[in-house]
Amino acid sequence: MFDFLLNEEEIKARDEAREFVKTIPRQMILDMDADKIKFPKEFLQEAGRRNLLGVRHPKEWGGRGMSWAGSAAVVEEIGTLGYIFSCTFGVGADLVCDAICLHGTDEQKEKYVKPLLAGDIFAAECLTEPRGGSDFFGATTTAVDKGDHFILNGQKRFIVGAEGADYFLVYAKTNPDAKPQESLSCLIVDRGPGVNVEYLYGLMGCRGGGAGRIVFKDVKVPKENVVGKVHGAYPVFTTMMIPERLGTAAMTIGSARPALDVATGYTTRRKAFGQTINNFQGVNFQIAEAAMLLDACRSLVYTTGRSADIAPYAGQTRRMVSETKKFVTESCQKVVHNAMQVMGGIGYTNVFPVERMYRDLRLATIWTGSNEVMSMVIAHEWYKDFFKSKQANIVRDMELDAEEAEAPDEKIYE
């Protein structure tokens, strides 16, 4: 699928990911879902050994220097194991390492990026707090400047990798009296004294990722662990929204695809009224819709990825990333819904894995910015482009193409 959008190197990496997925024991998937495995270190270690982590990052730091399309192809294959596998695969290697690669020092890249992409250490992102996640500037976690270090206090919630990560990318208030965009700093915080996992969540799905609440109590963070500039977390956050949301979209496709595969196979074997049920339009139209949605999702991911490769911080890319995250996550939930529907009651049991996929993908529209936040971003950027286009007078004024367009008394807006 969509090989025509990938170069030889990207196809090779995609195929390597596909082979890697085949090696994962079935029992690991079951143990993750049963929370018997709290964090899949062995899985990430092997992914690192195969040079599959963070393929977008520069080769000098352990990546492969690939495009967004290549990264999407790799993470889609990883996602076929289950949503939590792609979540843990992406959080450290794509999100955390992206921030350090784009904004960090060479010393930080050497210490934190290279060993992570090799599978030797693990990382987690700490953004959401008990009071909420979407209000980024409302963070209450503080880091007080003590000269050559900060003292960090606060809590972060729903952190994938709270149990298992060796270091954390933490957003904290360092200048609470400044305007919001200049009040926060982004810090690399090593697991150590004062870093405590106070609670592990019992999740509906996506289990086994060590999701928990972390409490930071008088943690000493050296100044050299600031990512970017002191009080300069906003630019870091802004750039990270691309891998957070576009990466989420790509991995969601992979996690929905097996549901369609399982349902398609089932409908070619299950018989009713003397024939296999794939012959009934009530069934095969739902399969067709699911296939169409997956292809549409890939098209949007790859197109948006191209925009992110060329102009990552343009308003259009920001809008497209939000559109992609919203459309793909909602469409993939529909794909799994259709798969369960055509399978009937047996799809609702654990005889087939579709019920696990259904539970897992409920997270997709919630995390990395809820889809309601995506709509806010889309609307903001759309109206901004609309007014910009009108002011530039670069397109035809279609409002005038009506028979009674010059009836001003009929155009009442107040």
Side-chain angles (χ1 to χ4, degrees):
M1 298 295 294
F2 285 57
D3 284 10
F4 57 89
L5 294 177
L6 303 172
N7 61 35
E8 287 186 13
E9 182 185 5
E10 290 164 344
I11 291 173
K12 179 176 180 292
R14 189 274 317 276
D15 290 346
E16 288 175 17
R18 191 171 285 173
E19 287 302 313
F20 172 47
V21 164
K22 289 180 181 178
T23 70
I24 302 303
R26 166 180 175 268
Q27 195 59 47
M28 177 180 283
I29 298 172
L30 300 179
D31 287 348
M32 290 276 284
D33 191 45
D35 259 336
K36 293 179 181 178
I37 294 176
K38 297 299 182 183
F39 189 76
K41 289 187 176 182
E42 292 181 3
F43 162 74
L44 294 173
Q45 287 167 343
E46 183 60 26
R49 282 193 285 268
R50 294 173 182 247
N51 195 206
L52 291 171
L53 294 171
V55 295
R56 286 185 301 107
H57 302 317
K59 293 179 180 179
E60 64 182 307
W61 305 119
R64 297 194 184 197
M66 287 167 48
S67 70
W68 257 108
S71 177
V74 168
V75 78
E76 177 180 339
E77 295 304 321
I78 298 299
T80 62
L81 287 167
Y83 206 42
I84 191 56
F85 284 90
S86 52
C87 290
T88 54
F89 182 88
V91 164
D94 280 320
L95 303 188
V96 174
C97 287
D98 204 66
I100 301 173
C101 282
L102 290 173
H103 300 277
T105 64
D106 285 353
E107 290 76 16
Q108 290 171 346
K109 295 169 193 175
E110 188 72 35
K111 182 177 180 180
Y112 293 106
V113 173
K114 276 183 103 170
L116 189 147
L117 296 186
D120 296 331
I121 61 174
F122 316 101
E125 180 198 26
C126 295
L127 192 156
T128 300
E129 297 192 354
R131 55 168 302 284
S134 298
D135 183 8
F136 173 65
F137 295 116
T140 59
T141 297
T142 62
V144 178
D145 194 334
K146 295 294 184 180
D148 65 346
H149 67 277
F150 291 98
I151 295 297
L152 178 69
N153 284 282
Q155 298 186 44
K156 298 292 181 176
R157 191 184 203 187
F158 304 141
I159 307 306
V160 174
E163 183 82 7
D166 296 293
Y167 70 92
F168 305 90
L169 195 73
V170 181
Y171 293 92
K173 288 272 188 183
T174 50
N175 192 9
D177 298 325
K179 60 183 181 181
Q181 290 85 349
E182 299 172 1
S183 65
L184 293 162
S185 295
C186 183
L187 310 172
I188 299 172
V189 180
D190 293 300
R191 187 186 291 276
V195 179
N196 299 303
V197 179
E198 296 287 343
Y199 188 80
L200 288 178
Y201 294 99
L203 304 178
M204 172 182 173
C206 286
R207 300 166 184 158
R213 176 167 57 86
I214 302 176
V215 175
F216 301 102
K217 179 65 174 175
D218 296 331
V219 181
K220 185 177 180 179
V221 183
K223 277 281 180 69
E224 58 263 29
N225 279 26
V226 174
V227 178
K229 297 179 180 179
V230 175
H231 316 317
Y234 181 55
V236 181
F237 170 79
T238 300
T239 57
M240 283 188 70
M241 289 306 98
I242 298 173
E244 276 220 356
R245 292 163 181 176
L246 187 51
T248 287
M251 69 175 65
T252 305
I253 296 171
S255 300
R257 194 179 90 199
L260 177 58
D261 290 346
V262 170
T264 300
Y266 182 84
T267 63
T268 63
R269 300 193 299 269
R270 174 69 170 177
K271 289 185 177 181
F273 306 103
Q275 56 185 312
T276 54
I277 62 174
N278 65 301
N279 291 305
F280 300 115
Q281 287 184 349
V283 171
N284 62 37
F285 277 16
Q286 292 196 65
I287 295 294
E289 180 185 39
M292 174 190 70
L293 287 173
L294 282 183
D295 278 343
C297 288
R298 288 192 189 92
S299 296
L300 196 50
V301 165
Y302 281 39
T303 302
T304 302
R306 183 62 175 157
S307 181
D309 285 332
I310 296 172
Y313 312 124
Q316 176 176 304
T317 300
R318 186 168 183 256
R319 188 189 83 231
M320 291 178 68
V321 166
S322 297
E323 290 171 345
T324 303
K325 195 270 180 179
K326 178 177 170 63
F327 179 83
V328 171
T329 55
E330 292 176 1
S331 296
C332 285
Q333 287 178 350
K334 175 64 172 169
V335 168
V336 181
H337 168 87
N338 283 20
M340 183 174 286
Q341 194 68 23
V342 299
M343 293 179 71
I346 197 67
Y348 194 66
T349 73
N350 62 4
V351 173
F352 288 92
V354 175
E355 62 86 23
R356 171 174 53 80
M357 298 167 192
Y358 194 96
R359 288 187 284 108
D360 285 353
L361 282 187
R362 188 61 189 88
L363 175 64
T365 54
I366 297 172
W367 85 320
T368 66
S370 71
N371 281 14
E372 289 72 26
V373 171
M374 298 304 99
S375 293
M376 289 168 54
V377 175
I378 294 164
H380 174 79
E381 295 296 338
W382 178 261
Y383 277 105
K384 187 169 69 174
D385 286 348
F386 171 81
F387 289 122
K388 183 178 179 181
S389 174
K390 289 298 181 184
Q391 290 169 359
N393 195 27
I394 57 177
V395 296
R396 179 185 179 88
D397 188 349
M398 281 76 76
E399 186 178 321
L400 301 178
D401 295 336
E403 182 70 26
E404 296 295 328
E406 302 299 333
D409 292 340
E410 297 306 315
K411 294 186 174 181
I412 301 169
Y413 300 111
E414 294 185 0

